[in-house]
Amino acid sequence: MEDPTASNVTPPANSSSQIIPSPSSVKVSLESRINRLINANQSPSPSRSIYSDRFIPSRSGSNFALFDLASPSPSKEDGAGSYATLLRAAMFGPETPEKRDITGFSTSRNIFRFKTETNRCLNSFSPFVSDDGPGVSHAPIKALRKVSRSPYKVLDAPALQDDFYLNLVDWSAQNVLAVGLGNCVYLWNACSSKVTKLCDLGADDSVCSVGWAFRGTHLAVGTSSGKVQIWDASRCKRTRTMEGHRLRVGALAWGSSVLSSGSRDKSILQRDIRCQEDHVSKLAGHKSEVCGLKWSYDNRELASGGNDNRLFVWNQHSTQPVLKYSEHTAAVKAIAWSPHVHGLLASGGGTADRCIRFWNTTTNTHLSSIDTCSQVCNLAWSKNVNELVSTHGYSQNQIIVWKYPTMSKIATLTGHTYRVLYLAVSPDGQTIVTGAGDETLRFWNVFPSPKSQNTDSDIGSSFFGRTTIR
């Protein structure tokens, strides 16, 4: 065997004998070759990279103190360390101080090593939580509820007007739905599906708004002639007719003992049905038709919206608005008070605005706004959970269920072919009914019950098919 350490000297041509290596020189030759291979791995040539199919752990990421071993002297990071850095960046993104604080890893450590010096919760490596310290729940984020995308019942409603400024549908505490169709008002009992014709205003008048009193026994009806009629629904008998408006009454709202009516004549009349007078006060402030009215749940504040793009808030005794909001850029019909937070008011704007805005009337602040990309026709809060539903017109005619305050969409419901101008909530707070110019009323199960979010409403527990309300 040729000695690789011998000098490259060619023997003279006239040499008479060949040099035969001794056994000791063979041994030295093997050791020299092995040393050269080892040295080559430790000091790779800068001009080429050495790759291996074996996994060699990075010493820089190892915890030698855990095994009572002396830590080796620092050395230049090898290929395995570079690969770990690239893998860490691919999985977690570029390292920042914030990420280091959350994950507990740093670029100088192996991301797959055991870590025993810090006690961490078992859930701390869950993708849904971060290690926020003691006293913080690490439960995974709940998935959004599943809401049926189809109505469980559809009623034909002939002559249901396609007019943004009217309010022709309301649902009573007695589980009876009132609907204004043309010059008549019909009652639909949700328990028995029985339809009753309450009144007929005649050929010279028409229904512009309906509103149930809290107990659900009396119904207020606003007319195109500017009158407000009070009807006893149980006896189908008119008990009173009140005047005061010069033009149609498109909005009604019941307080504890007051009935408020809003008109195209720009005024709001406060009516105490216990008094003989047709109205006890007149609220002036809007410059155009009043199309939205809602009393707060404590009956201390009245919110009004108009075609002048204004949202006003009144108290029980004021004749001028105590709060004025002008951020909307279109008519404000959609108004809803939160049943969960005192003074939280939601409002929606028309086609040129398309926004849902939230206000704190206690501190007189604008909280937030979201562009829905569609005309906002109605708003209603769930009384069971902190969610709300909005109905829309141009251009998508959809119904959206929102989670508040994140305003994440829980469900988007479609089916109406015209603007969804009318909305009412069932007395149990689980079902909504929507009406549109396509002359249909559609019933949807959108909110959970107060006890269980998986319990279906008795009202919408089965599919009844399609029928006619009159």
Side-chain angles (χ1 to χ4, degrees):
M1 178 179 294
E2 184 177 354
D3 185 359
T5 62
S7 60
N8 297 329
V9 177
T10 305
N14 57 357
S15 177
S16 60
S17 63
Q18 185 178 4
I19 299 176
I20 305 298
S22 63
S24 61
S25 64
V26 172
K27 182 178 181 180
V28 173
S29 174
L30 289 173
E31 292 178 351
S32 300
R33 176 169 293 184
I34 292 174
N35 289 333
R36 288 178 60 187
L37 292 174
I38 293 175
N39 292 333
N41 287 335
Q42 290 181 346
S43 303
S45 172
S47 62
R48 67 185 181 90
S49 301
I50 297 177
Y51 299 96
S52 173
D53 59 350
R54 294 180 297 157
F55 172 72
I56 302 176
S58 172
R59 292 189 176 189
S60 62
S62 301
N63 190 350
F64 289 90
L66 185 63
F67 304 99
D68 296 326
L69 298 177
S71 177
S73 59
S75 61
K76 185 178 179 181
E77 184 72 299
D78 56 6
S82 301
Y83 172 75
T85 302
L86 293 175
L87 180 60
R88 186 184 302 111
M91 294 179 65
F92 304 112
E95 184 179 17
T96 62
E98 292 79 4
K99 288 186 178 180
R100 185 184 299 113
D101 292 339
I102 293 175
T103 62
F105 301 127
S106 66
T107 55
S108 63
R109 298 187 178 184
N110 187 342
I111 62 173
F112 298 113
R113 63 185 285 269
F114 288 103
K115 183 177 181 181
T116 59
E117 62 268 24
T118 303
N119 293 326
R120 295 173 65 90
C121 173
L122 290 177
N123 289 332
S124 61
F125 291 100
S126 168
F128 303 105
V129 296
S130 61
D131 191 5
D132 295 321
V136 179
S137 173
H138 294 285
I141 298 175
K142 289 184 178 181
L144 293 177
R145 288 185 296 104
K146 291 185 178 180
V147 177
S148 174
R149 266 46 176 187
S150 301
Y152 72 84
K153 185 175 182 65
V154 179
L155 291 177
D156 285 324
L160 184 61
Q161 296 188 58
D162 183 30
D163 191 327
F164 178 81
Y165 302 100
L166 305 186
N167 293 273
L168 297 175
V169 177
D170 198 18
W171 207 328
S172 77
Q174 301 294 326
N175 210 8
V176 176
L177 188 70
V179 184
L181 301 178
N183 54 8
C184 300
V185 175
Y186 291 87
L187 306 180
W188 179 78
N189 190 306
C191 298
S192 63
S193 295
K194 180 182 177 181
V195 177
T196 303
K197 183 177 180 179
L198 178 67
C199 65
D200 187 335
L201 302 181
D204 298 331
D205 210 348
S206 63
V207 180
C208 296
S209 56
V210 294
W212 285 102
F214 287 126
R215 295 182 180 180
T217 57
H218 287 77
L219 180 71
V221 179
T223 70
S224 60
S225 62
K227 298 179 181 179
V228 176
Q229 299 181 1
I230 307 297
W231 287 78
D232 184 341
S234 60
R235 297 184 298 163
C236 292
K237 182 179 179 180
R238 184 178 63 190
T239 61
R240 188 170 181 179
T241 299
M242 295 176 286
E243 300 181 352
H245 288 298
R246 296 179 290 103
L247 300 173
R248 71 180 184 183
V249 180
L252 295 169
W254 286 88
S256 56
S257 59
V258 175
L259 171 63
S260 303
S261 59
S263 171
R264 181 178 270 182
D265 64 10
K266 311 173 189 177
S267 68
I268 301 171
L269 297 182
Q270 305 282 56
R271 309 173 186 273
D272 190 336
I273 59 176
R274 299 169 299 182
C275 300
Q276 293 183 351
E277 295 82 1
D278 284 346
H279 62 274
V280 295
S281 63
K282 181 177 181 179
L283 311 184
H286 284 286
K287 304 301 181 183
S288 188
E289 180 172 9
V290 179
C291 50
L293 279 179
K294 281 293 190 306
W295 278 97
S296 61
Y297 281 85
D298 59 6
N299 295 308
R300 294 183 178 181
E301 294 179 300
L302 173 68
S304 65
N307 197 29
D308 54 2
N309 309 344
R310 298 293 187 266
L311 173 67
F312 293 156
V313 178
W314 320 71
N315 62 31
Q316 292 173 309
H317 309 291
S318 66
T319 56
Q320 295 292 323
V322 294
L323 299 176
K324 298 180 180 181
Y325 301 118
S326 58
E327 281 78 357
H328 285 292
T329 58
V332 182
K333 176 192 178 185
I335 300 174
W337 292 92
S338 170
H340 311 290
V341 180
H342 175 71
L344 177 57
L345 175 65
S347 61
T351 306
D353 182 76
R354 308 178 304 179
C355 291
I356 299 175
R357 299 181 183 272
F358 296 91
W359 319 84
N360 186 332
T361 61
T362 303
T363 60
N364 190 20
T365 54
H366 181 205
L367 300 177
S368 61
S369 174
I370 182 172
D371 188 347
T372 67
C373 301
S374 187
Q375 177 189 41
V376 184
C377 300
N378 294 279
L379 288 169
W381 289 86
S382 166
K383 66 179 183 180
N384 302 330
V385 291
N386 203 14
E387 299 173 1
L388 69 159
V389 61
S390 59
T391 70
H392 299 268
Y394 303 124
S395 59
Q396 301 178 41
N397 306 328
Q398 79 274 40
I399 303 158
I400 303 178
V401 184
W402 308 87
K403 181 71 176 177
Y404 187 82
T406 62
M407 292 305 287
S408 56
K409 292 183 181 180
I410 297 176
T412 299
L413 313 176
T414 57
H416 285 290
T417 56
Y418 280 65
R419 297 179 295 173
V420 189
L421 298 177
Y422 310 111
L423 170 69
V425 183
S426 65
D428 65 1
Q430 300 180 59
T431 303
I432 64 170
V433 59
T434 56
D438 56 12
E439 299 186 343
T440 64
L441 296 173
R442 297 172 185 264
F443 295 78
W444 317 77
N445 286 320
V446 297
F447 294 132
S449 67
K451 295 182 179 180
S452 171
Q453 296 192 9
N454 296 321
T455 302
D456 291 332
S457 168
D458 293 336
I459 299 174
S461 58
S462 60
F463 182 82
F464 293 102
R466 182 162 180 158
T467 56
T468 304
I469 198 171
R470 69 175 188 183

